[in-house]
Amino acid sequence: MVAATFPGPFDLDPPPGAEGWESLYNWYHLFGEDRRKADEGKFWFQDALHHPYVLHPYDEIQCECWWQALGAMNTRVFAVPPAFGLEQRILNGRLYVSPVAAPAEQIAARAEEFGERAGHYYERWDEIYAEWKEKVAERIELIRGLSFAPLPDREPLSTVTGHLGHSAGYRWERDFSLMITTMYETYQWHFEMLNIGYAAYLTFFQFCQNAFPGIGDQSVSRMVGGLHVELYRPDDELKRLAKEAERLGVSDTILNAAHLDAALAVLSATESGRAWAEDWETTRDPWFHINADPGHPGGDHRFGTWDDHPEIPFGAVRTYLERLRKGEVIDRPTERVLAERERITGDYRALLNPADVDLFDELVALARKVFVYIEEHVLYIEHWMWAAFWGKSKELARSLVDMGVFDDPEDLFFLRRTEVAELIFDTVAAWSTGAPGRGRAHWTPIIAERRRIFTALEAWEPPPALGPPPEAVAEPLTVMLWGITTDSVAGWLADSETEDPGTLRGVAGSPGVVEGPVRVVRSVVELAEVQDGDVLVCPATSPAWAPVFSRIAATVSDVGGIMSHTAIVCREYGLPAVVGTGRAVSTLRTGQRVRVDGDTGVVTVLD
């Protein structure tokens, strides 16, 4: 039996104890009576790929950044033909999105504009990308250079002798505003090249579908794989550190130590040990500034980075050392992936009419060129930039604790960004005048109530979608990135009694068929439990998970499409993957044996 529709956004009550949850978020992010008719008529899907958890009020800025920037670049700057932006709503603390299609009568004109505007970028892609890296790196350093140290009892004499003319309190206000606007600016750059990069890939994809009827999505994606991109550099650095430990003769010390600090203490006693320790320290910046968030990298402040949890990269180095000692190859099979790429490309090229060969060559070359950015921008924006932003936000939170405004640094994240600006003003005004401020008295009960509501929201099991299902899911990014297809929506609608508990279906993310034991992993801190040959079952992956791909046999994820991180990385590591299953984490148990068919997108429980 199939339901006719998903629950409407106005039909769902808050979970017990979460009444009044709306106060945690900005009004423009909520379903409201004034736009009820429009919102009830739309199909909304939960963005579990980027935001799998209940949103903290402060973290709402992450959603806002991509909401506005993606829409502006699609709709107003490049005139992407088939789609405007993605609308966002928060319901019971979870983010739902709805694609906004371009009106059919505008598509032809938009396509002409897009050709001119995106074409300008395609012709100068390498030059523009080099400039892009420079400007983003400058903004990362800008945020890292800000200071939210506790306000001093007295300004240093240099404030006077240097004729600075403003106080530390003023700089708090100025720099918090600068930090926020810099994130918005950088997210404009995030989408400056991303969606037109996807458009180039999509053009190649559609050419292949027309030229080679029946070609699989994977065959197309494998023609642009095997790239040497910086996104894989953090994991490559861990492998290099393992090889250096072997070369320097300090492997036993690293393998026998109970933890990182113990290893560093022993290593400090020898010249070779000190050399390795210095290498480790140098590698940390920037290669350990990798967010450990299992959803959208940098989308949740709580998870920190490898640098905050150094046992994660240290554990990976130890694993690589153990594998080296067994004589195993630990490097990614890039040359094999490249050889397969060229074989597949050549086979399909040979099937073309001679008149189409030049266009095919042009499209595949452009797809490969833009794909470097599609992968690498994640490192610059979603890791390094957000790591800097969350780090400075936590520095501000600690200072507010030191100054007696908060009891717990986490208190800050239960305020919206505009409320934090208000609190800073009150704190600075009190510091400036020497009179008591109202911040602690005003915000303490509000924060306590929000904490209580937040805990209640975490118990809610959100439906995968809201509103009337579309007849067909056709918006390309929704399919490629989120893995939401007409079939998956139909699967969500199916009565649970009709589901086969022994079979999971998703998107065929990376080719190959393997059998192995399940290892359910919900966050990066659980990766140490993964054993060689396990089938990784997870909500989604991010680059912080890279070291595990050298140990596992396959990956099964709840969310994601053919262009999701999980699918792309598994193709680069030569591992089968089924993504976008929707219910693998809740259905499968650690220790079960499964067959993962990355060619068909089917996972079969064997016991």
Side-chain angles (χ1 to χ4, degrees):
M1 181 178 179
V2 177
T5 187
F6 295 101
F10 294 88
D11 299 334
L12 294 168
D13 294 326
E19 294 79 8
W21 65 268
E22 296 89 346
S23 65
L24 276 65
Y25 307 106
N26 283 301
W27 54 271
Y28 45 76
H29 242 148
L30 306 177
F31 290 104
E33 287 296 328
D34 56 304
R35 52 188 179 190
R36 179 175 187 137
K37 183 176 180 181
D39 284 355
E40 281 186 326
K42 295 177 181 177
F43 170 70
W44 303 85
F45 62 88
Q46 189 206 350
D47 187 10
L49 177 64
H50 297 110
H51 304 282
Y53 304 106
V54 177
L55 288 163
H56 282 77
Y58 187 80
D59 296 8
E60 189 180 2
I61 182 179
Q62 213 284 340
C63 306
E64 293 175 351
C65 281
W66 75 258
W67 181 12
Q68 196 275 334
L70 183 154
M73 290 296 163
N74 262 26
T75 310
R76 309 299 177 186
V77 177
F78 287 104
V80 175
F84 287 174
L86 285 166
E87 185 64 294
Q88 292 186 2
R89 298 287 186 272
I90 295 173
L91 179 66
N92 289 339
R94 307 285 183 153
L95 185 71
Y96 285 83
V97 299
S98 181
V100 182
E105 66 274 13
Q106 293 185 20
I107 291 178
R110 289 175 64 83
E112 185 175 347
E113 283 192 279
F114 178 82
E116 177 184 3
R117 295 174 180 223
H120 176 86
Y121 269 66
Y122 295 151
E123 292 168 5
R124 301 163 179 81
W125 191 268
D126 291 339
E127 173 190 345
I128 295 172
Y129 186 26
E131 294 172 353
W132 185 96
K133 286 183 177 181
E134 289 182 5
K135 66 187 183 185
V136 172
E138 189 274 331
R139 291 300 189 271
I140 293 168
E141 291 308 308
L142 184 154
I143 288 186
R144 291 179 67 178
L146 301 177
S147 175
F148 294 104
L151 299 177
D153 181 63
R154 184 86 69 249
E155 288 276 353
L157 184 60
S158 59
T159 299
V160 177
T161 59
H163 314 147
L164 194 59
H166 49 71
S167 68
Y170 162 77
R171 290 191 292 277
W172 259 31
E173 295 181 274
R174 178 198 66 188
D175 291 352
F176 182 74
S177 177
L178 177 61
M179 185 170 73
I180 297 295
T181 56
T182 298
M183 284 311 308
Y184 277 100
E185 177 186 40
T186 307
Y187 249 67
Q188 297 288 308
W189 297 339
H190 176 291
F191 288 100
E192 177 188 7
M193 302 176 75
L194 182 61
N195 284 6
I196 62 172
Y198 277 131
Y201 176 84
L202 181 61
T203 300
F204 174 60
F205 181 84
Q206 291 171 334
F207 174 93
C208 290
Q209 285 186 316
N210 292 329
F212 316 113
I215 189 173
D217 294 358
Q218 284 187 15
S219 295
V220 181
S221 63
R222 292 166 74 189
M223 283 192 260
V224 299
L227 300 172
H228 295 279
V229 295
E230 287 185 323
L231 184 64
Y232 304 112
R233 178 77 179 272
D235 187 36
D236 290 342
E237 287 293 317
L238 300 181
K239 294 170 181 173
R240 184 189 61 77
L241 284 167
K243 293 174 182 177
E244 276 296 287
E246 282 282 84
R247 187 185 70 80
L248 291 168
V250 298
S251 298
D252 287 340
T253 298
I254 293 170
L255 288 170
N256 295 332
H259 48 74
L260 173 62
D261 289 342
L264 293 176
V266 176
L267 290 168
S268 66
T270 66
E271 182 178 350
S272 57
R274 288 190 296 272
W276 190 90
E278 289 171 5
D279 193 354
W280 168 273
E281 188 66 24
T282 301
T283 304
R284 286 174 55 188
D285 187 3
W287 303 114
F288 290 4
H289 295 169
I290 302 300
N291 288 307
D293 186 346
H296 191 289
D300 191 310
H301 77 275
R302 289 175 291 180
F303 293 94
T305 66
W306 281 359
D307 207 39
D308 298 317
H309 306 287
E311 292 297 337
I312 294 174
F314 184 65
V317 170
R318 288 160 60 106
T319 298
Y320 287 140
L321 277 173
E322 291 168 352
R323 295 186 59 200
L324 285 171
R325 295 233 166 151
K326 294 176 183 177
E328 297 179 16
V329 176
I330 64 174
D331 297 319
R332 281 186 297 118
T334 302
E335 296 310 315
R336 175 162 59 85
V337 173
L338 280 171
E340 186 68 0
R341 179 184 86 172
E342 297 310 315
R343 182 192 67 78
I344 294 171
T345 304
D347 288 349
Y348 278 107
R349 188 177 188 273
L351 298 175
L352 288 168
N353 293 322
D356 293 331
V357 169
D358 287 347
L359 179 57
F360 174 84
D361 290 346
E362 179 183 329
L363 292 176
V364 72
L366 180 60
R368 290 172 180 176
K369 183 187 293 285
V370 302
F371 210 77
V372 173
Y373 173 84
I374 289 172
E375 282 289 86
E376 283 188 347
H377 87 280
V378 173
L379 186 63
Y380 282 81
I381 304 290
E382 296 167 7
H383 287 280
W384 292 341
M385 193 70 191
W386 278 108
F389 179 85
W390 295 132
K392 287 301 169 182
S393 297
K394 291 174 182 178
E395 179 183 314
L396 172 62
R398 291 190 297 269
S399 292
L400 288 166
V401 170
D402 290 344
M403 295 177 67
V405 180
F406 287 153
D407 291 324
D408 182 344
E410 278 294 296
D411 288 352
L412 179 139
F413 298 94
F414 286 92
L415 301 180
R416 299 192 292 272
R417 59 179 176 82
T418 52
E419 295 170 337
V420 173
E422 294 173 12
L423 176 64
I424 289 175
F425 177 84
D426 178 79
T427 302
V428 169
W431 171 81
S432 300
T433 62
R438 293 192 63 199
R440 183 180 180 90
H442 179 77
W443 290 113
T444 296
I446 293 173
I447 291 170
E449 176 66 3
R450 289 181 179 179
R451 281 180 177 270
R452 185 191 65 77
I453 291 173
F454 188 92
T455 300
L457 289 174
E458 290 186 301
W460 186 60
E461 187 65 33
L466 305 170
E471 292 184 8
V473 179
E475 199 282 312
L477 283 183
T478 303
V479 175
M480 290 195 303
L481 188 56
W482 278 275
I484 296 174
T485 65
T486 305
D487 288 342
S488 65
V489 172
W492 293 342
L493 282 167
D495 189 332
S496 61
E497 294 180 0
T498 67
E499 295 176 350
D500 179 357
T503 302
L504 290 170
R505 298 184 183 278
V507 175
S510 182
V513 181
V514 300
E515 296 180 3
V518 165
R519 179 70 60 174
V520 177
V521 175
R522 292 176 174 82
S523 71
V524 71
V525 296
E526 299 173 354
L527 290 178
E529 301 170 8
V530 177
Q531 303 298 312
D532 289 353
D534 279 351
V535 171
L536 175 66
V537 175
C538 56
T541 65
S542 77
W545 296 51
V548 81
F549 289 102
S550 296
R551 305 204 302 273
I552 59 175
T555 302
V556 179
S557 71
D558 278 352
V559 295
I562 192 72
M563 296 293 283
S564 65
H565 175 267
T566 304
I568 292 171
V569 172
C570 282
R571 292 195 295 269
E572 294 293 330
Y573 279 81
L575 299 172
V578 176
V579 298
T581 64
R583 58 189 181 96
V585 171
S586 62
T587 302
L588 300 176
R589 303 186 311 275
T590 293
Q592 281 183 305
R593 286 192 63 80
V594 295
R595 179 184 300 115
V596 179
D597 189 333
D599 298 318
T600 63
V602 175
V603 181
T604 305
V605 178
L606 301 177
D607 59 27

